[in-house]
Each structure stands twice: as C-alpha cells, then as structure tokens.
Amino acid sequence: MDPAEDVDPAESTDAHQHHHHPAGNGPFKGITGYLVGLSFLFGRKKDARLACDLTEVGAGDDVVDIGCGPGVALREARRRGATCTGVDPAPAMLRLGRTVSSRDITYVDGTAEALPLPDGSASVAWSLATAHHWADVDQGLAEARRVLRPDGRLLILEHHSTPGAKGHARHGLTDQQAAAFAAACTAAGLADVRVEEHEGRRGPALAVLAVRPD
C-alpha cells in the first residue's frame, strides 16, 4: 500500500519512494548523521507534548517510538511516567539518544517494518514526522499492530503537506495521503481510525490515530 497511490503523479509527494534511507545510510550516516541528530534536539518539544497529549500517555504506559531519532518525545513520555523504548535504523541517532537520555529509556536498532520487540509489549506506539520514510506502509502498520496490546493506541503525526510542495515542505502527508494511511490502518485490523489536524512545530500537522481492538 502506498499512501500516495491516488495522487496525481505530477503532484506526488510520495516520500515513501523518494526519501526512504536504509539503516545507516542517507543523511543519517556518520558525523553528518550525528549533526543532523543534534539539530533534532531543538524545536521538537511541541510535537513531543502533542503526541503525549493525543495518546494520553501516563504512568503505566509502555511507549514505543518508531523512528525515535535522539528521543525528544521519549523523554517527554518518560516525564509523564511511561516506560519508553525508541527504535531507529540510524546508529548516530541511537548513540545520541543514549547520550542525552536517562538510562531507563531503551534504544534499539530496527525499522518500522521489523520492530525488534515482543508481541503485545506496548500500550502506545507512535511515529512522529518519520512515517513518510517507511518503505512498506502495510508491513509497518502490521508490525505496529503486533507490538500493541489490546486497546493500545497508535499515532502517526506528520506535517500537513500540500500537493506539489517542494523542498522540506513536501516532507509530510497531504490530505489524500493521510486518508490513504487511515484506510491502511483499517485494513491492518486497527479500529477507531480517525484523521485530525493539530498545530505542530512546523504549522498545521495531520494526526492519524487508531486503536488495536481486543
């Protein structure tokens, strides 16, 4: 499934195809990756708070951050009492996350399509400004459903992009892509799927929310 499959190819913002980077490659490799990671430490607390609010994170929750970067959202969830695990394919991001986080936040190497976590191990799973990098949306959602326990909450949060956007502005989801993502959540066996618009760190953001049913 491709969230941009119904978008006019001339206006496609299909970041799944054009912006996916294998583990350790692309802009997140080596010293460049470390510098990118450092830049991720700043200006992202608004999205971290929004993610925690939308998923109602609190004490007793087990949060999995898919594409966690240096762990800004994980540290916010930890402050709210959750147990936190970050998954990222970029070694530089994992190293930085471990450096700036307390030892009770776990960081593991992995991708959305192959989460290195047991079945039913999370009450909350989210992907913040990273789902547009997923190579296989169907597999990523199947993995999210697998690691969620019954009534577990899933959040996909992305910049609200527009068809034909250029440069950094195209990193996100259009309305049509968000609707396709929501349909894929339903096809993956998730329930109570909805798309909402909220104010994120870069302006309007689209949130795709779903719940794993019993």
Short mmCIF file of all heavy atoms in Angstrom, two decimals, residues 13-69:
data_model
loop_
_atom_site.label_atom_id
_atom_site.label_comp_id
_atom_site.label_asym_id
_atom_site.label_seq_id
_atom_site.Cartn_x
_atom_site.Cartn_y
_atom_site.Cartn_z
N THR A 13 3.76 13.64 -3.64
CA THR A 13 4.72 13.92 -2.59
C THR A 13 5.08 12.62 -1.91
O THR A 13 5.24 12.55 -0.70
CB THR A 13 4.15 14.92 -1.56
OG1 THR A 13 2.94 14.38 -1.04
CG2 THR A 13 3.88 16.26 -2.19
N ASP A 14 5.23 11.57 -2.70
CA ASP A 14 5.44 10.23 -2.17
C ASP A 14 6.83 10.10 -1.57
O ASP A 14 7.77 9.65 -2.20
CB ASP A 14 5.23 9.19 -3.27
CG ASP A 14 5.43 7.78 -2.76
OD1 ASP A 14 5.47 7.62 -1.52
OD2 ASP A 14 5.53 6.86 -3.57
N ALA A 15 6.96 10.51 -0.30
CA ALA A 15 8.25 10.41 0.38
C ALA A 15 8.64 8.97 0.63
O ALA A 15 9.80 8.68 0.89
CB ALA A 15 8.21 11.19 1.69
N HIS A 16 7.67 8.06 0.62
CA HIS A 16 8.00 6.64 0.80
C HIS A 16 8.96 6.18 -0.28
O HIS A 16 9.86 5.41 -0.03
CB HIS A 16 6.73 5.78 0.74
CG HIS A 16 5.73 6.14 1.78
ND1 HIS A 16 5.75 5.61 3.04
CD2 HIS A 16 4.69 7.00 1.75
CE1 HIS A 16 4.74 6.13 3.75
NE2 HIS A 16 4.10 6.96 2.99
N GLN A 17 8.76 6.70 -1.48
CA GLN A 17 9.60 6.27 -2.58
C GLN A 17 10.88 7.09 -2.65
O GLN A 17 11.96 6.55 -2.89
CB GLN A 17 8.84 6.42 -3.90
CG GLN A 17 9.67 6.04 -5.13
CD GLN A 17 8.88 6.15 -6.39
OE1 GLN A 17 7.67 6.35 -6.35
NE2 GLN A 17 9.53 6.02 -7.52
N HIS A 18 10.78 8.39 -2.42
CA HIS A 18 11.90 9.26 -2.72
C HIS A 18 12.77 9.59 -1.51
O HIS A 18 13.88 10.08 -1.69
CB HIS A 18 11.39 10.57 -3.34
CG HIS A 18 10.65 10.36 -4.62
ND1 HIS A 18 11.24 9.84 -5.73
CD2 HIS A 18 9.35 10.60 -4.96
CE1 HIS A 18 10.37 9.77 -6.72
NE2 HIS A 18 9.21 10.22 -6.27
N HIS A 19 12.30 9.35 -0.30
CA HIS A 19 13.05 9.79 0.87
C HIS A 19 13.36 8.67 1.85
O HIS A 19 13.81 8.92 2.95
CB HIS A 19 12.29 10.91 1.59
CG HIS A 19 12.13 12.14 0.75
ND1 HIS A 19 13.18 12.98 0.47
CD2 HIS A 19 11.06 12.64 0.10
CE1 HIS A 19 12.76 13.96 -0.30
NE2 HIS A 19 11.48 13.78 -0.54
N HIS A 20 13.11 7.42 1.47
CA HIS A 20 13.46 6.33 2.36
C HIS A 20 14.96 6.09 2.31
O HIS A 20 15.56 6.04 1.25
CB HIS A 20 12.74 5.04 1.96
CG HIS A 20 13.17 3.87 2.77
ND1 HIS A 20 12.83 3.74 4.11
CD2 HIS A 20 13.93 2.79 2.46
CE1 HIS A 20 13.36 2.62 4.57
NE2 HIS A 20 14.04 2.04 3.60
N HIS A 21 15.57 5.94 3.48
CA HIS A 21 17.00 5.67 3.56
C HIS A 21 17.23 4.39 4.34
O HIS A 21 16.77 4.27 5.47
CB HIS A 21 17.74 6.83 4.25
CG HIS A 21 17.55 8.13 3.56
ND1 HIS A 21 18.21 8.46 2.41
CD2 HIS A 21 16.75 9.19 3.84
CE1 HIS A 21 17.85 9.67 2.01
NE2 HIS A 21 16.96 10.13 2.86
N PRO A 22 17.95 3.42 3.77
CA PRO A 22 18.25 2.21 4.51
C PRO A 22 19.02 2.53 5.78
O PRO A 22 19.64 3.58 5.90
CB PRO A 22 19.10 1.40 3.52
CG PRO A 22 18.78 1.97 2.18
CD PRO A 22 18.48 3.42 2.42
N ALA A 23 18.99 1.59 6.72
CA ALA A 23 19.64 1.80 8.01
C ALA A 23 21.09 2.22 7.81
O ALA A 23 21.85 1.58 7.11
CB ALA A 23 19.58 0.52 8.82
N GLY A 24 21.45 3.32 8.46
CA GLY A 24 22.83 3.76 8.46
C GLY A 24 23.24 4.52 7.22
O GLY A 24 24.38 4.96 7.11
N ASN A 25 22.34 4.69 6.23
CA ASN A 25 22.69 5.37 5.00
C ASN A 25 21.99 6.71 4.93
O ASN A 25 21.36 7.16 5.87
CB ASN A 25 22.33 4.50 3.80
CG ASN A 25 23.16 3.24 3.75
OD1 ASN A 25 24.33 3.26 4.09
ND2 ASN A 25 22.56 2.14 3.33
N GLY A 26 22.07 7.36 3.76
CA GLY A 26 21.40 8.64 3.59
C GLY A 26 22.01 9.70 4.48
O GLY A 26 23.18 9.66 4.83
N PRO A 27 21.21 10.71 4.87
CA PRO A 27 21.74 11.85 5.62
C PRO A 27 22.03 11.53 7.08
O PRO A 27 22.52 12.39 7.80
CB PRO A 27 20.61 12.88 5.50
CG PRO A 27 19.38 12.05 5.37
CD PRO A 27 19.79 10.85 4.56
N PHE A 28 21.71 10.32 7.55
CA PHE A 28 21.87 9.99 8.96
C PHE A 28 23.12 9.15 9.22
O PHE A 28 23.23 8.48 10.23
CB PHE A 28 20.62 9.26 9.47
CG PHE A 28 19.36 10.01 9.19
CD1 PHE A 28 18.30 9.40 8.55
CD2 PHE A 28 19.22 11.33 9.56
CE1 PHE A 28 17.12 10.09 8.29
CE2 PHE A 28 18.05 12.05 9.30
CZ PHE A 28 17.00 11.41 8.67
N LYS A 29 24.07 9.16 8.29
CA LYS A 29 25.25 8.33 8.41
C LYS A 29 26.43 9.14 8.93
O LYS A 29 26.64 10.29 8.54
CB LYS A 29 25.61 7.72 7.05
CG LYS A 29 26.76 6.75 7.09
CD LYS A 29 27.00 6.14 5.71
CE LYS A 29 28.16 5.15 5.73
NZ LYS A 29 28.42 4.56 4.40
N GLY A 30 27.22 8.54 9.82
CA GLY A 30 28.48 9.13 10.27
C GLY A 30 28.31 10.45 10.98
O GLY A 30 27.31 10.72 11.64
N ILE A 31 29.33 11.32 10.82
CA ILE A 31 29.33 12.60 11.52
C ILE A 31 28.18 13.47 11.04
O ILE A 31 27.59 14.22 11.83
CB ILE A 31 30.68 13.33 11.33
CG1 ILE A 31 30.72 14.60 12.18
CG2 ILE A 31 30.93 13.64 9.87
CD1 ILE A 31 30.67 14.33 13.68
N THR A 32 27.82 13.36 9.76
CA THR A 32 26.67 14.12 9.26
C THR A 32 25.40 13.72 10.00
O THR A 32 24.60 14.56 10.41
CB THR A 32 26.48 13.90 7.75
OG1 THR A 32 27.67 14.30 7.08
CG2 THR A 32 25.29 14.70 7.24
N GLY A 33 25.23 12.41 10.20
CA GLY A 33 24.07 11.92 10.93
C GLY A 33 24.04 12.43 12.36
O GLY A 33 22.98 12.77 12.89
N TYR A 34 25.22 12.50 12.98
CA TYR A 34 25.29 12.99 14.35
C TYR A 34 24.89 14.47 14.41
O TYR A 34 24.16 14.89 15.30
CB TYR A 34 26.70 12.80 14.90
CG TYR A 34 26.79 12.87 16.40
CD1 TYR A 34 26.39 11.79 17.18
CD2 TYR A 34 27.24 14.01 17.04
CE1 TYR A 34 26.47 11.84 18.57
CE2 TYR A 34 27.31 14.09 18.41
CZ TYR A 34 26.93 13.00 19.18
OH TYR A 34 27.00 13.07 20.55
N LEU A 35 25.34 15.25 13.42
CA LEU A 35 24.99 16.67 13.38
C LEU A 35 23.50 16.86 13.11
O LEU A 35 22.86 17.73 13.70
CB LEU A 35 25.83 17.38 12.31
CG LEU A 35 27.33 17.46 12.60
CD1 LEU A 35 28.07 18.05 11.41
CD2 LEU A 35 27.59 18.30 13.85
N VAL A 36 22.95 16.03 12.22
CA VAL A 36 21.50 16.07 11.99
C VAL A 36 20.76 15.74 13.28
O VAL A 36 19.78 16.40 13.65
CB VAL A 36 21.10 15.10 10.86
CG1 VAL A 36 19.58 14.98 10.77
CG2 VAL A 36 21.67 15.56 9.53
N GLY A 37 21.24 14.71 13.98
CA GLY A 37 20.63 14.33 15.25
C GLY A 37 20.66 15.46 16.26
O GLY A 37 19.68 15.69 16.98
N LEU A 38 21.78 16.17 16.33
CA LEU A 38 21.88 17.31 17.25
C LEU A 38 20.83 18.36 16.91
O LEU A 38 20.21 18.95 17.80
CB LEU A 38 23.28 17.92 17.19
CG LEU A 38 24.39 17.13 17.89
CD1 LEU A 38 25.75 17.78 17.60
CD2 LEU A 38 24.16 17.07 19.40
N SER A 39 20.63 18.59 15.62
CA SER A 39 19.62 19.58 15.22
C SER A 39 18.22 19.13 15.63
O SER A 39 17.34 19.96 15.90
CB SER A 39 19.67 19.81 13.70
OG SER A 39 19.12 18.71 12.98
N PHE A 40 18.00 17.80 15.70
CA PHE A 40 16.69 17.28 16.09
C PHE A 40 16.40 17.50 17.58
O PHE A 40 15.25 17.34 18.01
CB PHE A 40 16.60 15.78 15.80
CG PHE A 40 16.43 15.43 14.35
CD1 PHE A 40 16.38 16.42 13.38
CD2 PHE A 40 16.33 14.12 13.95
CE1 PHE A 40 16.23 16.11 12.04
CE2 PHE A 40 16.17 13.79 12.62
CZ PHE A 40 16.12 14.79 11.66
N LEU A 41 17.42 17.85 18.35
CA LEU A 41 17.21 18.05 19.79
C LEU A 41 16.46 19.35 20.08
O LEU A 41 15.94 19.53 21.18
CB LEU A 41 18.55 18.06 20.52
CG LEU A 41 19.31 16.74 20.59
CD1 LEU A 41 20.68 16.95 21.20
CD2 LEU A 41 18.53 15.71 21.40
N PHE A 42 16.42 20.22 19.11
CA PHE A 42 15.87 21.56 19.35
C PHE A 42 14.60 21.77 18.53
O PHE A 42 14.50 21.36 17.38
CB PHE A 42 16.91 22.62 19.00
CG PHE A 42 18.20 22.44 19.74
CD1 PHE A 42 19.27 21.82 19.13
CD2 PHE A 42 18.32 22.85 21.06
CE1 PHE A 42 20.47 21.64 19.82
CE2 PHE A 42 19.50 22.66 21.76
CZ PHE A 42 20.58 22.05 21.13
N GLY A 43 13.62 22.42 19.14
CA GLY A 43 12.41 22.81 18.44
C GLY A 43 11.39 21.71 18.26
O GLY A 43 10.40 21.90 17.54
N ARG A 44 11.59 20.55 18.89
CA ARG A 44 10.67 19.42 18.68
C ARG A 44 9.83 19.11 19.92
O ARG A 44 9.07 18.14 19.91
CB ARG A 44 11.45 18.19 18.24
CG ARG A 44 12.04 18.38 16.87
CD ARG A 44 12.88 17.22 16.38
NE ARG A 44 13.36 17.51 15.03
CZ ARG A 44 12.89 16.96 13.91
NH1 ARG A 44 11.92 16.08 13.98
NH2 ARG A 44 13.37 17.28 12.73
N LYS A 45 9.95 19.90 20.96
CA LYS A 45 9.21 19.60 22.17
C LYS A 45 7.71 19.80 21.98
O LYS A 45 6.90 19.13 22.64
CB LYS A 45 9.73 20.45 23.33
CG LYS A 45 11.12 20.05 23.80
CD LYS A 45 11.56 20.83 25.02
CE LYS A 45 12.93 20.36 25.50
NZ LYS A 45 13.38 21.11 26.71
N LYS A 46 7.32 20.72 21.09
CA LYS A 46 5.89 20.94 20.86
C LYS A 46 5.24 19.68 20.31
O LYS A 46 4.17 19.26 20.77
CB LYS A 46 5.68 22.11 19.90
CG LYS A 46 4.21 22.44 19.67
CD LYS A 46 4.05 23.73 18.88
CE LYS A 46 2.58 24.13 18.78
NZ LYS A 46 2.41 25.43 18.11
N ASP A 47 5.87 19.03 19.34
CA ASP A 47 5.34 17.79 18.80
C ASP A 47 5.39 16.67 19.83
O ASP A 47 4.50 15.81 19.87
CB ASP A 47 6.12 17.36 17.55
CG ASP A 47 5.71 18.15 16.31
OD1 ASP A 47 4.80 19.00 16.42
OD2 ASP A 47 6.31 17.94 15.24
N ALA A 48 6.41 16.67 20.67
CA ALA A 48 6.50 15.65 21.72
C ALA A 48 5.34 15.78 22.70
O ALA A 48 4.70 14.78 23.07
CB ALA A 48 7.84 15.78 22.47
N ARG A 49 5.04 17.01 23.11
CA ARG A 49 3.91 17.22 24.02
C ARG A 49 2.60 16.87 23.34
O ARG A 49 1.70 16.28 23.96
CB ARG A 49 3.91 18.68 24.51
CG ARG A 49 5.05 19.02 25.45
CD ARG A 49 4.85 20.37 26.10
NE ARG A 49 4.94 21.45 25.14
CZ ARG A 49 6.05 22.12 24.87
NH1 ARG A 49 7.19 21.80 25.48
NH2 ARG A 49 6.05 23.11 23.99
N LEU A 50 2.47 17.24 22.05
CA LEU A 50 1.25 16.94 21.31
C LEU A 50 1.03 15.43 21.21
O LEU A 50 -0.08 14.94 21.42
CB LEU A 50 1.32 17.55 19.91
CG LEU A 50 0.14 17.28 18.98
CD1 LEU A 50 -1.17 17.78 19.57
CD2 LEU A 50 0.39 17.93 17.61
N ALA A 51 2.10 14.69 20.93
CA ALA A 51 1.98 13.23 20.83
C ALA A 51 1.53 12.63 22.16
O ALA A 51 0.67 11.74 22.19
CB ALA A 51 3.32 12.62 20.40
N CYS A 52 2.12 13.09 23.24
CA CYS A 52 1.75 12.58 24.56
C CYS A 52 0.31 12.93 24.90
O CYS A 52 -0.42 12.10 25.47
CB CYS A 52 2.70 13.12 25.62
SG CYS A 52 4.36 12.41 25.58
N ASP A 53 -0.11 14.13 24.54
CA ASP A 53 -1.49 14.54 24.81
C ASP A 53 -2.49 13.71 23.99
O ASP A 53 -3.51 13.24 24.51
CB ASP A 53 -1.68 16.03 24.49
CG ASP A 53 -0.96 16.94 25.48
OD1 ASP A 53 -0.55 16.46 26.56
OD2 ASP A 53 -0.80 18.13 25.15
N LEU A 54 -2.20 13.54 22.70
CA LEU A 54 -3.14 12.84 21.81
C LEU A 54 -3.29 11.37 22.20
O LEU A 54 -4.36 10.78 22.02
CB LEU A 54 -2.67 12.95 20.36
CG LEU A 54 -2.78 14.32 19.72
CD1 LEU A 54 -2.19 14.31 18.31
CD2 LEU A 54 -4.24 14.77 19.66
N THR A 55 -2.23 10.77 22.72
CA THR A 55 -2.29 9.36 23.11
C THR A 55 -2.52 9.18 24.62
O THR A 55 -2.55 8.05 25.10
CB THR A 55 -1.00 8.63 22.70
OG1 THR A 55 0.14 9.31 23.25
CG2 THR A 55 -0.86 8.56 21.19
N GLU A 56 -2.67 10.30 25.32
CA GLU A 56 -2.97 10.29 26.76
C GLU A 56 -1.95 9.46 27.53
O GLU A 56 -2.30 8.62 28.36
CB GLU A 56 -4.40 9.79 27.00
CG GLU A 56 -5.45 10.66 26.33
CD GLU A 56 -6.87 10.18 26.58
OE1 GLU A 56 -7.04 9.01 27.03
OE2 GLU A 56 -7.81 10.95 26.33
N VAL A 57 -0.69 9.71 27.26
CA VAL A 57 0.38 8.96 27.92
C VAL A 57 0.44 9.29 29.40
O VAL A 57 0.32 10.45 29.80
CB VAL A 57 1.73 9.27 27.24
CG1 VAL A 57 2.90 8.78 28.09
CG2 VAL A 57 1.79 8.63 25.86
N GLY A 58 0.63 8.26 30.20
CA GLY A 58 0.76 8.45 31.64
C GLY A 58 1.45 7.27 32.30
O GLY A 58 1.96 6.37 31.61
N ALA A 59 1.46 7.29 33.59
CA ALA A 59 2.09 6.21 34.35
C ALA A 59 1.43 4.88 33.99
O ALA A 59 0.21 4.78 33.86
CB ALA A 59 1.96 6.48 35.85
N GLY A 60 2.24 3.86 33.81
CA GLY A 60 1.75 2.55 33.46
C GLY A 60 1.77 2.26 31.97
O GLY A 60 1.60 1.11 31.55
N ASP A 61 1.98 3.29 31.15
CA ASP A 61 2.06 3.08 29.71
C ASP A 61 3.46 2.58 29.31
O ASP A 61 4.48 2.94 29.93
CB ASP A 61 1.78 4.37 28.94
CG ASP A 61 0.29 4.58 28.71
OD1 ASP A 61 -0.40 3.61 28.36
OD2 ASP A 61 -0.18 5.73 28.89
N ASP A 62 3.49 1.76 28.26
CA ASP A 62 4.72 1.33 27.61
C ASP A 62 4.72 1.92 26.22
O ASP A 62 3.93 1.49 25.36
CB ASP A 62 4.80 -0.20 27.55
CG ASP A 62 4.92 -0.83 28.93
OD1 ASP A 62 5.93 -0.58 29.60
OD2 ASP A 62 3.99 -1.55 29.33
N VAL A 63 5.57 2.91 25.98
CA VAL A 63 5.58 3.67 24.74
C VAL A 63 6.71 3.18 23.83
O VAL A 63 7.85 3.03 24.28
CB VAL A 63 5.76 5.18 25.01
CG1 VAL A 63 5.90 5.96 23.70
CG2 VAL A 63 4.59 5.71 25.82
N VAL A 64 6.37 2.97 22.56
CA VAL A 64 7.36 2.66 21.53
C VAL A 64 7.36 3.79 20.52
O VAL A 64 6.31 4.11 19.94
CB VAL A 64 7.06 1.32 20.83
CG1 VAL A 64 8.01 1.10 19.65
CG2 VAL A 64 7.19 0.17 21.82
N ASP A 65 8.51 4.39 20.30
CA ASP A 65 8.68 5.48 19.34
C ASP A 65 9.37 4.89 18.12
O ASP A 65 10.54 4.51 18.17
CB ASP A 65 9.51 6.60 19.96
CG ASP A 65 9.58 7.84 19.08
OD1 ASP A 65 9.46 7.71 17.84
OD2 ASP A 65 9.77 8.95 19.62
N ILE A 66 8.66 4.82 16.99
CA ILE A 66 9.16 4.24 15.76
C ILE A 66 9.82 5.33 14.93
O ILE A 66 9.16 6.24 14.44
CB ILE A 66 8.01 3.58 14.97
CG1 ILE A 66 7.29 2.54 15.83
CG2 ILE A 66 8.55 2.94 13.68
CD1 ILE A 66 5.96 2.08 15.25
N GLY A 67 11.15 5.26 14.79
CA GLY A 67 11.89 6.34 14.17
C GLY A 67 12.14 7.44 15.17
O GLY A 67 11.87 8.61 14.93
N CYS A 68 12.69 7.05 16.32
CA CYS A 68 12.75 7.92 17.51
C CYS A 68 13.75 9.05 17.41
O CYS A 68 13.67 10.01 18.18
CB CYS A 68 13.06 7.08 18.74
SG CYS A 68 14.68 6.25 18.68
N GLY A 69 14.73 8.97 16.48
CA GLY A 69 15.77 9.98 16.46
C GLY A 69 16.49 10.03 17.79
O GLY A 69 16.72 9.00 18.42
#
